[in-house]
Amino acid sequence: MAFVLAALSAAPAMAQNKTLTISWWGFNGDKLEEIILKPFRAQCGCDLVFETGNNADRLNKIKIRGGGGVDVVYLTDSYSQIGIQEGLFQPVDRAKIPNIDGIYDLAKEPQGKFGPAYTIGRVGIIYDSAKVTTPITSWNDLWREDLKRRVSLPGITTTAGPMTVLVAASKAGVDPYKDEKAAFKALEQLKPNVVKNYNTGSELVNLFSTGEVFVAMAQDFTLAQIQAAVPTARWAELKEGDYATLNTINIAKGAANPELAHQFINFVLDPKIQQTLAQRGVDAPVAKAVTLTPEEASRWTYGEKMISSLKRLDYEKLNAAKNDWLDAWSEVFGK
């Protein structure tokens, strides 16, 4: 009896000492609490603490702390690549994440031995089919004469912004990392078609809803919002393919609870959790076992065929070129 009482009295203290600190954006808080956090707490018997904010701010805090202060880190792949290069993350032990075997290959090791992707998105072209009567089927269509003053591009500092340089380089037939001038010359040729460079999804939705633009290079998470305002908006089927965007989960170099961090990543990749997240409108699934209705799937980057068609980015090269591209972008669009 004395042993049982001692064990029971020690249990709360043990639970209090078992804490997982998660760095993430903080979006969809109520849904994530219901779908992920509450059941994970029940499973691990642990406390969860959060650090919220945008990619850059959160990554900078981890850097200032020398890779410590948090256990699990949610970032877009462009920022997780920076964290990897700066030595802020530790490799994950995939033997401790069995659910990783059931996700799409693109998500398994997007940045080598570090964290997997828990959701996949894409950057492509959205257009109003009621006003653009000839369907858009190529990235090169952005330069069409009938689209003069009808196009919006993402600002260079957004997630999709640097991809505009890649699109322009392809149009010019050059390597953007070797011939930046030719790529930006192609962007200058595109400028007459561009009404405005947007910096947020809500800004782009407003541009479509007011009729200021008919066409935009955009991330797919904006599609449902744009279609709610403009039902005739469509995602273009581009012959060259869309660009992949991945959200990753990494384990910080100085994580206090790496074992618990591995458990959490495995939990997030569980097919049942992935199914619910997709059906509740939170994230596109990476678990191959997830089955969605056509209506549910329409909002997401979903299915083997679509995911295998995506163009993967070399963020090590892209991040290294960004600063030079910022200056060149200002020269084109700041005039």
Side-chain angles (χ1 to χ4, degrees):
M1 177 65 73
F3 174 79
V4 171
L5 288 173
L8 288 173
S9 64
M14 290 173 64
Q16 288 173 3
N17 292 331
K18 195 176 179 184
T19 300
L20 183 73
T21 304
I22 302 170
S23 172
W24 64 0
W25 296 278
F27 301 142
N28 289 309
D30 291 343
K31 291 181 181 179
L32 290 172
E33 170 64 29
E34 177 188 348
I35 300 167
I36 295 178
L37 305 180
K38 185 177 179 180
F40 185 71
R41 285 193 196 95
Q43 175 181 294
C44 72
C46 61
D47 293 327
L48 301 179
V49 176
F50 304 94
E51 186 167 273
T52 60
N54 63 35
N55 285 287
D57 289 345
R58 291 185 294 107
L59 186 61
N60 190 52
K61 287 179 182 178
I62 296 170
K63 182 178 179 179
I64 290 170
R65 296 191 297 252
V70 298
D71 298 298
V72 175
V73 188
Y74 281 65
L75 292 168
T76 60
D77 48 0
S78 61
Y79 281 90
S80 56
Q81 182 62 44
I82 295 171
I84 289 167
Q85 289 175 229
E86 295 187 353
L88 302 181
F89 308 139
Q90 59 180 273
V92 301
D93 184 349
R94 281 164 169 74
K96 297 177 180 178
I97 310 174
N99 284 327
I100 211 167
D101 293 334
I103 69 177
Y104 294 109
D105 288 344
L106 180 62
K108 287 180 179 179
E109 294 184 353
Q111 293 164 320
K113 59 187 178 180
F114 297 94
Y118 68 89
T119 188
I120 298 174
R122 54 188 167 148
V123 172
I125 296 175
I126 299 172
Y127 70 100
D128 185 349
S129 60
K131 296 176 179 176
V132 181
T133 54
T134 302
I136 291 176
T137 59
S138 169
W139 284 108
N140 290 343
D141 286 344
L142 290 173
W143 280 260
R144 281 180 5 196
E145 290 187 8
D146 62 309
L147 300 183
K148 188 173 183 180
R149 301 292 297 167
R150 299 303 185 193
V151 175
S152 184
L153 297 179
I156 191 65
T157 59
T158 66
T159 297
M163 299 176 204
T164 59
V165 183
L166 306 185
V167 170
S170 179
K171 166 74 171 172
V174 300
D175 182 334
Y177 306 112
K178 294 180 180 179
D179 196 347
E180 173 191 308
K181 288 184 178 180
F184 277 91
K185 184 176 180 181
L187 274 178
E188 194 160 3
Q189 293 167 348
L190 176 58
K191 186 178 177 181
N193 285 10
V194 179
V195 177
K196 187 176 182 180
N197 298 320
Y198 67 91
N199 290 301
T200 65
S202 58
E203 186 180 0
L204 179 60
V205 173
N206 187 58
L207 288 170
F208 265 97
S209 62
T210 58
E212 290 182 70
V213 303
F214 303 161
V215 180
M217 181 175 173
Q219 290 183 260
D220 62 349
F221 75 83
T222 62
L223 179 61
Q225 301 170 56
I226 291 171
Q227 286 179 327
V230 183
T232 49
R234 300 287 181 267
W235 188 268
E237 298 294 328
L238 304 176
K239 62 184 181 182
E240 303 93 346
D242 300 327
Y243 289 95
T245 58
L246 284 69
N247 285 354
T248 63
I249 310 185
N250 272 283
I251 300 175
K253 180 178 69 174
N257 287 294
E259 292 298 318
L260 198 55
H262 280 90
Q263 290 178 39
F264 182 80
I265 294 173
N266 191 59
F267 189 84
V268 171
L269 297 181
D270 184 290
K272 292 180 181 177
I273 299 297
Q274 289 267 308
Q275 178 96 26
T276 306
L277 288 169
Q279 290 177 326
R280 294 288 301 277
V282 179
D283 285 312
V286 293
K288 291 187 283 187
V290 172
T291 302
L292 302 178
T293 67
E295 183 179 356
E296 290 168 342
S298 65
R299 72 177 71 181
W300 299 126
T301 301
Y302 166 76
E304 189 75 57
K305 182 179 179 181
M306 181 182 292
I307 289 172
S308 64
S309 72
L310 296 175
K311 302 167 73 168
R312 187 77 177 97
L313 300 175
D314 185 337
Y315 276 112
E316 192 166 353
K317 286 185 177 180
L318 191 66
N319 288 337
K322 269 184 183 179
N323 286 338
D324 290 338
W325 289 0
L326 287 171
D327 294 336
W329 180 275
S330 296
E331 284 293 313
V332 173
F333 292 105
K335 296 177 182 178

